Amino acid sequence: MQKSLTSILFLSLFMNSGQLIFDFSRDTDVSVWKVVNDVVMGGKSSGKFSINNEGNAVFYGNVSLENNGGFSSVRHQFLKKKINSSTKIKIRLKGDGNAYQLRIKKNQSDYYSYVATFQTNNNWEIIEVNLSEMQPKFRGKSLSLPNFSENSFEEIAFLIGNKKAQDFCLEIDKIYLE
């Protein structure tokens, strides 16, 4: 009940100016989100993605540096999401004090992502990322391309890869454009 009331109040505050990307609930089908760990490159990190009893998504696990590993990510691909006049992505989340990356792709088939790093603080908060400040990167390397300036995107992802072995837990309520 608390989540429902909070969600209704939160939705009413931003729906006049925001555009919903994803709103997690107990009924969310998490199979549309894919976890990709460094095992694709021989690493041993382990990430998982599920819905908790409160109806929030939880991205959690362990980052390992063994076998040149060091990251875990979760991503969602969708049909083009028009940005219209939006300038920011906002995420209501509760982190664990670790830094994470928000990543978007203009096209699902692009080899690179536009990336912004944010720090969490162990409390519920709204992270704001200016789309125009998201930098193109591939495997952690900056590319000689302009920052994000497109009118749509087809993938959103969260990644943890802080060059250290660590447990992680990121709880996500809503993702929207404003």
Side-chain angles (χ1 to χ4, degrees):
M1 181 68 174
Q2 179 66 26
K3 165 106 170 135
S4 297
L5 185 56
T6 302
S7 292
I8 290 167
L9 291 171
F10 186 74
L11 280 171
S12 68
L13 290 174
F14 85 82
M15 282 309 282
N16 293 335
S17 62
Q19 181 184 179
L20 195 60
I21 296 173
F22 215 95
D23 180 10
F24 294 98
S25 73
R26 288 186 183 154
D27 300 326
T28 298
D29 177 7
V30 292
S31 70
V32 299
W33 288 79
K34 302 293 181 212
V35 172
V36 178
N37 295 311
D38 56 20
V39 296
V40 298
M41 300 164 54
K44 295 193 174 195
S45 296
S46 171
K48 294 182 175 30
F49 194 70
S50 63
I51 298 294
N52 66 14
N53 290 334
E54 290 77 38
N56 297 314
V58 184
F59 174 43
Y60 63 100
N62 176 269
V63 174
S64 170
L65 300 180
E66 289 184 52
N67 291 351
N68 295 315
F71 77 88
S72 182
S73 68
V74 62
R75 59 193 67 177
H76 175 52
Q77 296 179 333
F78 41 83
L79 298 176
K80 282 195 184 302
K81 176 63 89 173
K82 295 276 187 197
I83 292 171
N84 300 323
S85 61
S86 299
T87 60
K88 298 176 185 178
I89 293 178
K90 290 187 172 185
I91 309 136
R92 183 173 183 272
L93 57 76
K94 181 179 180 183
D96 52 11
N98 288 316
Y100 291 85
Q101 292 179 8
L102 173 67
R103 304 167 71 87
I104 61 173
K105 284 188 176 184
K106 177 180 76 170
N107 297 304
Q108 295 174 13
S109 60
D110 288 346
Y111 72 93
Y112 62 93
S113 297
Y114 292 93
V115 179
T117 300
F118 61 91
Q119 181 68 45
T120 62
N121 69 13
N122 295 302
N123 297 306
W124 281 104
E125 60 187 314
I126 297 175
I127 301 293
E128 294 185 10
V129 174
N130 290 321
L131 290 164
S132 63
E133 294 176 8
M134 296 187 79
Q135 301 175 337
K137 294 188 178 187
F138 178 66
R139 294 187 178 163
K141 305 258 189 258
S142 294
L143 303 176
S144 294
L145 297 169
N147 285 359
F148 188 82
S149 63
E150 305 299 326
N151 60 7
S152 65
F153 61 101
E154 296 181 352
E155 180 178 287
I156 190 162
F158 295 93
L159 181 141
I160 184 165
N162 297 321
K163 299 184 182 184
K164 63 182 176 179
Q166 63 186 143
D167 292 331
F168 65 92
C169 184
L170 183 66
E171 192 171 350
I172 308 163
D173 179 25
K174 290 179 185 29
I175 308 166
Y176 59 100
L177 290 165
E178 189 173 274

